[in-house]
Amino acid sequence: MSLKARQSKEKRFQFAGLAAISIGLLCLVMLFASVLSAGLPAFQQTFIKLTFNLPADKLDKSGNRNPQEMKKVSTIGYTKVITEQLKLNLTKAGLEFDQLSKKELKNMISKEAPAQVRYAVLEDPSLLDREFEMVLLANGRIDGYYKGRVTKKSAELDVMVSPKQLELADQMKRAGILETRFNGRFFYWPDASDLRPEAAGLGVALLGSFYMVLIVLVLAVPLAVCTAIFLEEFAPKNRFTDLIEINISNLAAVPSIVFGILGLSLFINFMDLPQSAPIVGGLCLTLMTLPTVIIAARASIKAVPPSIKAAALGLGASKVQAVFHHVLPSAAPGILTGTIIGLAQALGETAPLLLIGMVAFVREYPSLSPEGIFEPATALPVQLYNWTVRGDPAFVERASGAIIVLLVFMITMNLLAIVLRKRFERRW
Amino acid sequence: MLDTTVDNMIEEKPKIIARDVKVVYGDKEALRDVSLDVMDKTVTAFIGPSGCGKSTFLRCFNRMNDTIANCRVSGSLIYDGQEISAHDPVTLRARIGMVFQKPNPFPKSIYDNVAYGPRIHGLSKNKADLDGIVEKALRRGALWDEVKDRLHETGTGLSGGQQQRLCIARAIATEPEVLLMDEPCSALDPIATAQIEELINELKQSYSVVIVTHSMQQAARVSQKTAFFHLGNLVEYNDTGDIFTKPSDPRTESYITGRIG
């Protein structure tokens, strides 16, 4: 081959490599752009700030401020009161609302608001009959109007919102009653029903994911590290251990949904553990993560030079001492990296959780005590999936917001793995 | 030469007695019926071409061959009046120390490297005691003056020759009676080699040193007794001076004159 041909071949190869990287980067940029543009609005919410003077004669008929008796007034009772209060506030601000029907006026505010006010009043009955300010969620469609999802034109065809409501919202915004701002509740509120996307949050999902990752950490890591040490340092090399080795590699390649089926039949049907509970999800994810961590741990144990072990043995250390004093500390950074990557994988896994019922609609937080792992919860990726299948575009926006949260966790964990590896990497 | 004769005169009881030692890796015979006595306070050199079994034989002394799967040792090896196979490997290796071919300090501080052996064998009563042991070992390893101000820096940061001296200090910190050295200078430059050889010369005052080496010059320089191995056989074992001046076996002569090897 002539020199020219060789050089042009190298040029072509370099060009192909550059092109591949550029396409990859372009896709990444597009991914981030679409996720961010769709998801960032989820962190914003439109709120209505009202001055309340709640009538005690309607909300506490016995008049003794006893929360037990005040509970008799349901959210429907509160809805009426809140609508009255809204009217008072609008009048005070000099805004016209006669053109709106009673229902339209009521629906300016989220259906979540009565529950919110009722909860506040039951917590502190002294709020009745005096002035205080409270910030309520605006209806999801009005929120969508300020995020460009809803226009006055689309509102004409929408049974959930009317152009008149949007007109009033604009006036309220100018009067300072209504504003769109950062919504921290997105992170700690539970999921909400189809009719009130504006109230939906990631609270239960985050807690559920946290529990599951914790279970994986506690179960998978010691098991995997012990397995790796045993196979690498103590087990005899024979057909049986070869078989185990091959099976561990195969397990790492098993589709994750299979672990869901296994979890369903083993943990729920056979062991009678509760459905939708983080304990079952955690166990499934542990099974799924084990091979990954074992393989990473074995690789990093293998990478420790045998001369280190020989030195320890030559000094009279027992095999266990040689492994635990010298091999394991040297392999620890690699094991740690593998663990973090395994945990990130577990955090992002959806399929097995769908099968064990974590896809259910859960509004109650699992308790913070250890029993919480037996109580229903959802997980971050499942919540995300759950929102994408709902009709209201407001949920799609929230799903994108959840993707951002998930990605932030993933990137943080992977960065942590890289930092740890760089920090503790040893050159022999 | 004068030195060796004097040493031979104060020769004592043998430290290790090997009789018909045979080592098999799987179905490959690595060492065939080797018998020799390792003397106390003497440097014994094992020489021979690569793959002749000299390292394998050395590793029989502290049972390092146990760590290799499918390696079987047969025959008799007596240390301290008892079969080596009957000794507990942990205590045996504290009394028969080993220095490896490539310097292999632990990726820990210089201090922890030397203190590791005494720690696991419980040789020190307290911190001051341990400090004393570490200092003594480093002094004997001819490394103290170079590292006394940086005992808590990592051992892998030292130069190759210093690392090997650290490994020697680490091995002698457990107060062994025999020191096995498996080609301790093969990864070192001539200056570091000279330092190690000088150190070996001093160590033989207190220990029985067995050194495996590729270099015949080194064997001639440091040892009093030399054993020549060839293809798994012990060909000749005699005073170093005799081996190099009047070898009795033609194979030994071929090797030291450079015709085989």
Side-chain angles (χ1 to χ4, degrees):
Chain A
M1 208 190 283
S2 74
L3 185 62
K4 211 176 158 196
R6 276 196 289 177
Q7 279 170 343
S8 67
K9 196 174 181 187
E10 190 175 323
K11 284 239 167 63
R12 278 201 303 277
F13 183 76
Q14 283 184 350
F15 176 76
L18 264 177
I21 291 175
S22 311
I23 291 170
L25 279 179
L26 195 70
C27 291
L28 191 70
V29 168
M30 276 163 61
L31 172 82
F32 274 108
S34 76
V35 166
L36 288 180
S37 68
L40 280 181
F43 301 106
Q44 300 255 313
Q45 201 64 44
T46 307
F47 295 94
I48 295 175
K49 190 167 75 182
L50 294 181
T51 311
F52 277 136
N53 194 339
L54 296 172
D57 55 326
K58 287 208 177 113
L59 299 179
D60 181 20
K61 281 174 181 138
S62 53
N64 55 12
R65 300 289 189 271
N66 180 352
Q68 289 308 318
E69 286 180 47
M70 286 160 70
K71 270 189 182 164
K72 283 180 197 155
V73 183
S74 69
T75 47
I76 299 169
Y78 278 87
T79 312
K80 284 179 192 149
V81 173
I82 290 169
T83 314
E84 287 309 309
Q85 295 289 321
L86 173 65
K87 280 183 188 168
L88 289 176
N89 274 274
L90 292 175
T91 316
K92 205 163 72 186
L95 300 178
E96 286 283 325
F97 52 87
D98 294 340
Q99 70 278 23
L100 273 77
S101 72
K102 212 173 167 192
K103 196 179 158 211
E104 279 172 327
L105 201 57
K106 183 185 86 182
N107 282 345
M108 292 297 290
I109 297 174
S110 164
K111 290 188 171 61
E112 187 67 23
Q116 206 184 334
V117 176
R118 181 170 178 264
Y119 180 78
V121 169
L122 291 179
E123 278 286 286
D124 179 13
S126 71
L127 286 176
L128 295 182
D129 271 344
R130 68 178 170 89
E131 274 203 358
F132 68 98
E133 266 193 0
M134 199 159 173
V135 177
L136 300 176
L137 285 165
N139 183 311
R141 293 298 157 99
I142 290 170
D143 177 53
Y145 174 57
Y146 291 107
K147 292 175 183 170
R149 210 166 51 224
V150 176
T151 59
K152 280 181 180 155
K153 201 157 186 181
S154 77
E156 284 170 19
L157 306 166
D158 196 338
V159 287
M160 307 278 286
V161 69
S162 68
K164 282 185 229 158
Q165 283 178 308
L166 298 180
E167 185 54 47
L168 177 65
D170 275 341
Q171 288 172 14
M172 283 165 75
K173 188 164 191 169
R174 277 194 290 274
I177 301 175
L178 180 144
E179 72 170 325
T180 305
R181 57 175 170 80
F182 177 72
N183 176 27
R185 292 169 213 203
F186 180 61
F187 298 102
Y188 60 85
W189 270 25
D191 194 8
S193 70
D194 283 4
L195 288 175
R196 48 193 98 169
E198 63 276 7
L202 285 170
V204 176
L206 280 176
L207 203 57
S209 274
F210 172 73
Y211 280 158
M212 286 193 288
V213 168
L214 208 64
I215 291 168
V216 173
L217 186 70
V218 168
L219 293 180
V221 175
L223 257 175
V225 173
C226 290
T227 310
I229 292 174
F230 178 74
L231 284 178
E232 212 45 61
E233 299 287 346
F234 295 98
K237 300 273 172 277
N238 56 26
R239 275 212 187 144
F240 182 64
T241 45
D242 281 350
L243 193 74
I244 292 180
E245 261 193 73
I246 293 169
N247 276 302
I248 290 172
S249 312
N250 281 341
L251 274 181
V254 166
S256 57
I257 196 148
V258 175
F259 288 101
I261 298 173
L262 176 72
L264 177 64
S265 61
L266 180 67
F267 300 128
I268 295 180
N269 293 343
F270 180 71
M271 289 167 67
D272 248 352
L273 288 170
Q275 285 181 23
S276 314
I279 179 76
V280 179
L283 287 171
C284 281
L285 295 178
T286 300
L287 291 180
M288 197 197 76
T289 316
L290 261 177
T292 317
V293 185
I294 292 176
I295 290 170
R298 289 193 65 174
S300 38
I301 289 172
K302 212 177 249 173
V304 177
S307 64
I308 294 297
K309 209 174 94 183
L313 292 176
L315 280 172
S318 66
K319 210 164 177 185
V320 173
Q321 284 176 323
V323 169
F324 281 89
H325 293 169
H326 299 290
V327 177
L328 205 53
S330 300
I335 295 176
L336 209 60
T337 312
T339 303
I340 294 172
I341 288 173
L343 287 182
Q345 193 189 343
L347 179 70
E349 198 52 69
T350 324
L353 303 181
L354 298 181
L355 282 172
I356 56 156
M358 295 212 72
V359 74
F361 175 73
V362 182
R363 247 193 85 75
E364 297 290 318
Y365 298 97
S367 45
L368 285 171
S369 58
E371 293 91 71
I373 60 171
F374 294 100
E375 291 163 18
T378 56
L380 206 46
V382 181
Q383 184 71 73
L384 196 164
Y385 164 79
N386 215 336
W387 282 343
T388 52
V389 296
R390 292 197 195 168
D392 196 321
F395 279 113
V396 178
E397 173 195 290
R398 288 186 124 67
S400 303
I403 291 177
I404 295 176
V405 173
L406 192 61
L407 279 180
V408 166
F409 275 113
M410 296 289 187
I411 293 171
T412 314
M413 288 172 93
N414 281 296
L415 276 181
L416 189 69
I418 292 170
V419 168
L420 286 174
R421 190 164 49 205
K422 283 267 171 267
R423 179 117 184 234
F424 295 107
E425 202 173 45
R426 249 189 279 270
R427 289 181 222 295
W428 302 100
Chain B
M1 217 34 62
L2 185 72
D3 205 22
T4 23
T5 10
V6 173
D7 275 324
N8 286 342
M9 281 161 65
I10 54 160
E11 205 170 80
E12 299 176 37
K13 259 177 28 183
K15 203 76 202 155
I16 298 174
I17 306 164
R19 291 291 174 267
D20 301 324
V21 174
K22 196 179 204 174
V23 180
V24 183
Y25 291 113
D27 49 7
K28 194 180 149 280
E29 205 172 41
L31 208 60
R32 221 169 284 126
D33 303 328
V34 174
S35 303
L36 60 74
D37 293 347
V38 175
M39 298 300 166
D40 198 11
K41 304 211 181 348
T42 305
V43 179
T44 309
F46 292 174
I47 60 169
S50 295
C52 66
K54 53 192 192 302
S55 287
T56 302
F57 186 51
L58 186 79
R59 291 163 64 92
C60 292
F61 292 175
N62 67 345
R63 296 184 56 181
M64 282 302 271
N65 285 329
D66 290 12
T67 60
I68 301 167
N70 73 37
C71 171
R72 279 180 296 116
V73 182
S74 54
S76 158
L77 267 161
I78 303 216
Y79 167 68
D80 204 14
Q82 205 185 353
E83 276 292 336
I84 276 184
S85 56
H87 280 276
D88 183 72
V90 167
T91 49
L92 179 75
R93 288 175 193 153
R95 296 172 67 188
I96 303 183
M98 187 158 193
V99 176
F100 296 83
Q101 184 169 357
K102 221 178 123 227
N104 55 354
F106 299 129
K108 302 182 181 217
S109 73
I110 294 168
Y111 183 93
D112 287 335
N113 261 284
V114 181
Y116 184 67
R119 271 192 189 130
I120 58 172
H121 296 295
L123 298 182
S124 62
K125 287 184 266 323
N126 52 44
K127 177 85 172 70
D129 208 12
L130 190 61
D131 288 351
I133 292 176
V134 169
E135 184 180 340
K136 194 173 148 204
L138 282 171
R139 279 190 192 282
R140 278 183 172 174
L143 194 61
W144 176 253
D145 291 332
E146 289 160 63
V147 300
K148 63 182 173 199
D149 299 323
R150 44 177 179 149
L151 286 178
H152 294 283
E153 283 174 32
T154 156
T156 42
L158 297 172
S159 75
Q162 287 174 324
Q163 287 191 17
Q164 194 61 301
R165 276 180 283 150
L166 176 62
C167 292
I168 293 173
R170 181 176 68 187
I172 57 186
T174 58
E175 296 287 340
E177 298 174 354
V178 182
L179 197 58
L180 309 177
M181 299 180 139
D182 190 357
E183 297 181 37
C185 301
S186 65
L188 304 181
D189 64 57
I191 295 170
T193 303
Q195 284 172 325
I196 301 278
E197 285 178 5
E198 197 180 323
L199 178 58
I200 292 170
N201 217 11
E202 274 162 38
L203 291 175
K204 77 158 192 281
Q205 316 295 332
S206 347
Y207 311 102
S208 159
V209 179
V210 185
I211 178 169
V212 167
T213 177
H214 263 306
S215 148
M216 287 170 287
Q217 290 83 352
Q218 185 172 57
R221 281 194 300 265
V222 301
S223 72
Q224 288 79 54
K225 302 280 261 179
T226 298
F228 171 64
F229 289 79
H230 189 237
L231 299 175
N233 296 305
L234 173 62
V235 175
E236 196 170 347
Y237 177 48
N238 209 339
D239 288 348
T240 302
D242 294 339
I243 288 263
F244 283 96
T245 50
K246 38 179 195 294
S248 55
D249 193 289
R251 283 173 293 177
T252 317
E253 196 184 351
S254 309
Y255 184 68
I256 59 173
T257 53
R259 259 178 285 148
I260 58 167

